Amino acid sequence: MKKKILITGGAGFIGSHLVRLFVNKYPDYDIINLDKLTYAGNLKNITDIENSANYKFVKGDIQDKDFLDSLFKSEKITDVIHLAAESHVDRSISGPMEFIITNIVGTANLLEVARSNWEGEDHTFYHISTDEVYGSLGEEGFFYEDTAYDPRSPYSASKASSDHLVRAYHHTYNFPIKISNCSNNYGSHQFPEKLIPLMINNIRNNKPLPVYGTGENVRDWLWVEDHARAIDVIFHKGKVGETYNIGGWNEWTNIALVKEMCRIMDEKLGRDTGTSEKLITYVTDRAGHDMRYAIDATKIKDELGWVPSLEFEEGLDKTIDWYLNNEDWINNVTSGDYQKYYDEHYSS
Ligand code: NAD
Ligand code: TYD
């Protein structure tokens, strides 16, 4: 049976990298990219593959179950890789309902529609999730695949709920699922509400660099194209019903990372050393701010042979270059509503 893979959220940050990888690497698959094009979805992220013979874009909302059902029937979807979500923790704090409806109900809609349309065993429903479902670590330890869930933000709680639903479909209906939980991604085309692109954009524009709380919170950063490679490996070789953690073995405190970005950008922009660091401004902490995330990615390494391909130093350098060389992209996404979000979020 020819594979017709529905990738949801393929106009977003990670989704656009994944769609590009699959369209270019698998000419024998049909790739259908379903995306609502919220503020975070941008067709400019994937202009290079939009005319490929094995690719089709469909604008639509996973909140609409009837629409999903007719799409499954008309396109004869064989597999799903599900990335569509509301993805920003700060927005989930100021407005949780959209997260609950898209991330939980939207995932339930997809599960139900896939379950009612699929027969036989030659299908995969692969749900893309986050390490934030595991909660917050102290100074020691890692998240493992069997770490108990302890989500703390509306975003992570909505992703945890969707993970539970996906697993429940496997246990209850023997539905063919896979799940992966990944650490913080960085790379090109990331919307500048997230730490790394927000700081790059502000350094470029000589604007204050808002570091939450003490800046000592720790995140484990992974290059987005390595995440896309991991998804490819899990989709093709991962075991049905299993969960895989994906991480970069690359922990940074926020403040150390922001200072490193300042150092690199001073060099690239021809500024005196230390110029950009002066922009750092400590601001009110995020409510319920998780202290530390760190993934143990041994299972995917040992069982599927995946390891990150790029050193962080090189990835960060490439990422900064991409934003500096793509002013049109950044200017386009920071006009209009972004300014309103920024002013509301960072004014206090
Ligand atoms: P993103 O916000 O950049 O993109 C999300 C995409 O989903 C956008 O294109 C948006 O238009 C689309 N979308 C939102 N609501 C929709 C709806 N109701 N129907 C259809 N499409 C809708 O997010 P991202 O950073 O690319 O994350 C993608 C997935 O990976 C999410 O499920 C997220 O939880 C997960 N994840 C992200 C990270 C990270 O560091 N960014 C890490 C681990 C897991
Ligand atoms: P973010 O990129 O929002 O990812 P997540 O919250 O999903 O990990 O934030 C990464 C870290 O950076 C997190 O500890 C919050 C912090 N942060 C700031 O200090 N300032 C900012 O302006 C943003 C957006 C994040």
Side-chain angles (χ1 to χ4, degrees), residues 88-90 132 184 193-195 198-199 210-212 217 219 221 254 286 289 293 346:
H88 189 41
V89 173
D90 292 321
E132 304 191 23
N184 288 59
E193 63 190 352
K194 305 272 172 41
L195 180 75
L198 185 141
M199 293 297 171
V211 172
Y212 297 164
N217 303 66
R219 296 294 183 265
W221 294 95
N254 294 334
R286 172 186 281 172
H289 196 173
Y293 302 144
Y346 290 98

Side-chain angles (χ1 to χ4, degrees), residues 8-15 34-42 60-63 82-88 98 102 128-131 155 159 181-186 189-191 193-194 227:
T8 69
F13 166 49
I14 301 170
L34 163 64
D35 198 295
K36 183 181 179 179
L37 299 181
T38 67
Y39 78 93
N42 187 349
D61 191 337
I62 59 168
Q63 296 176 23
H82 175 36
L83 293 93
E86 288 293 334
S87 69
H88 189 41
E98 199 58 27
T102 283
I128 306 303
S129 193
T130 167
D131 61 353
Y155 165 65
K159 292 297 291 187
N181 296 82
C182 188
S183 64
N184 288 59
N185 287 213
Y186 72 95
H189 303 91
Q190 186 171 30
F191 193 78
E193 63 190 352
K194 305 272 172 41
H227 187 189

